[in-house]
Amino acid sequence: MLKKDFDNAAILPLITEFEGVPGALLPILHRIQETLGYIPQQAVGCVAEFLNLSRAEVHGVISFYQHFRQHACGKHILEVCKAEACQSRGGRELDAHVREQLKCDFNETTTDGKITLEAVYCLGLCATGPSIAIDGKPYSRVNEQRFKQLLEQMS
Amino acid sequence: MTVRIYVPIDSVALSLGADEVAGAIQIEAIQRGIDIQLVRNSSRGMLWLETLVEVETEQGRFAYGPVNPQDVKSLFDADFIRLGEHPLFHGAVDEIPYLKRQQRLTFARAGITDPQSITDYVQYGGYVGLQNALTMDAETIVDCITQSGLRGRGGAAFPTGIKWKTVLDSESEQKYVVCNADEGDSGTFSDRMIMEGDPFMLIEGITIAALAVNATEGYIYVRSEYPHAYASLKQAINTAVDKAYLGENILGSGKTFNLNMRKAAGAYVCGEETAMLESIEGKRGIVRAKPPLPAIQGLFAKPTVINNVISLATVPVIFSQGADFYRDYGMGRSRGTLPVQLAGNIRHGGLVEIAFGITLRELIEDFGGNTESGRALRAVQVGGPLGAYLCDSQLDVRMDCEALQQVGGSLGHGGIVVFDDTVDMAQQAKFSMQFCEIESCGKCTPCRLGATRGVEVMDNIISGHNVQQQTLLLKDLCSTMLDGSLCAMGGMTPFPVLSALKNFPEDFNLKSVPEAG
């Protein structure tokens, strides 16, 4: 996987607009991840200094929330809903099928670096599941055939 | 003559190809030289019909659905803009029984308007409530909400009037209103539909709440799994600020209220109100001990009103139609209407807003049309991942907070997930423990460790190891979690587990459920 180095000069321009925002840590982390795809280790110190927090506090927040990634991800993010409403409509079978097709487990990336597979607990599409999201775009009524089509469309 | 055609922009419609349908309609219309105006409306909530395309005529709006992109050509071939015969035709939208039988107060505009059009919103009764509230003092506003009998729709069903009164009576230079839009329960989507489909109604409700308690700052905490809802609300807030419905000097009243948005980051426990406050403050979403109540020491230690999306979205109709109008719906202590979400393995899944008091069976059979798979119904989970699994013989219970509690259930956020007879209830019980293991904030030991032990015990039961003894252990563990956890995460995870065990013992390799000694 691509390794990049980030220094304060790369991180700081992303976060300066949050100066004075109360409780700005989550918005800052979102901004970094939206821009870089994940929150690199180097950003922790920079953010901690900016908010006058300890590195441990910043790391603690990053590691608490499932949405924040600490490592670079694949070109696409594939989220598969694992919650009850989707389970009742074939979600468990789709979950197994997706892992088998991609030959990777949740929180892993396919060997070609194309897709990072993540579990999600509810996309709010509970009457038309099983549901997935690809790079934030929702798809429901996903059976094996539809998944195959979606997979082929991903470049 | 220009024909107006509606294609919903709700996430469910998008997930079934609504953008592609909209694109295909426009291309086809151009190619055939037909003059159309395409409107992206909100969803009617008849989700099995999505993508539901509507055509506006002098006789009202008519529905075609579910429309897939490849159906568009045949719709034009059938001259659907003049209501030509087509297998997907459903007649006049308002006459569809699923909609006609509902009592839509909060979802009055669902499917009718363009969510981002403040003109549409005002034309269909929007901002009347705020205008009325601006003529009242804070005490009168709080009295009105108390009179309406509104109780929190997030899950705890706490009387909204009492909460607002507590904040109003708390002395502080700074107070906050926080809208909990962290709708994490599987089987629920009513908050999402409001945020995507009628965002100004939510903004209006939050603004009235702010006037009620003299708060000048507010936050909406939206889950990151709802990117479309987040974008929709953000755009609507900007419009509301431009039109002086938010910000300084609201509608010339001299009142100020600033509304901010916060994006969550995938932690279910942040739907718990104090964990949510921690998260907005930029910390780990760890549950706080109560007291102090957030109404007295909430966000940044200031008095804070915290309400769920549906609670706040219901406020405008109470102030436009009156507290009595709202209170006259419902039963017992559950007043008004409940937006029920029919989900899971159900033929006609979607949103049903109806007065409290309808039975679960009426909802599932009459509205829902039973299972989508056509197999026998086996289990129904009401109230999200922390709600009990009910069996067929319990479905005559009325939708009312107290009635559901009597059968060991909880109304929660009004989500109903239907399972057919292929479900393995021991696996569902195990999943409840797994979910708690993943989502526990870690503060309380019974929740943090109990969930892990719970998964192990369930594995033993499923593989048939010492089942009688392991079942006793499971019950003991559940009682520890129930009594020893600060919030509903650990305190209610035993509900689905124990109800599965009680109502479906045959799935647990058990002939009878042993009594805890």
Side-chain angles (χ1 to χ4, degrees), chain A residues 124-136:
Chain A
L125 312 170
C126 309
T128 51
S131 305
I132 65 172
I134 300 170
D135 300 326

Side-chain angles (χ1 to χ4, degrees), chain A residues 123-128 137-140, chain B residues 7-19 39-48 50-52 107 110-111 113-115 183 189-198 226 228-229 232 350-351:
Chain A
L123 293 163
L125 312 170
C126 309
T128 51
K137 187 172 178 347
Y139 299 90
S140 61
Chain B
V7 178
I9 199 165
D10 178 274
S11 281
V12 170
L14 296 179
S15 77
L16 294 164
D19 281 346
V39 179
R40 300 305 297 270
N41 60 331
S42 51
S43 170
R44 297 271 182 175
M46 299 184 288
L47 300 178
W48 79 99
E50 295 292 1
T51 300
L52 185 77
F107 281 82
T113 52
D114 167 358
E183 181 180 55
F189 44 80
S190 58
D191 294 359
R192 181 186 59 67
M193 283 185 66
I194 294 287
M195 292 187 278
E196 292 180 0
D198 205 356
Y226 282 179
H228 291 89
S232 165
L351 187 111

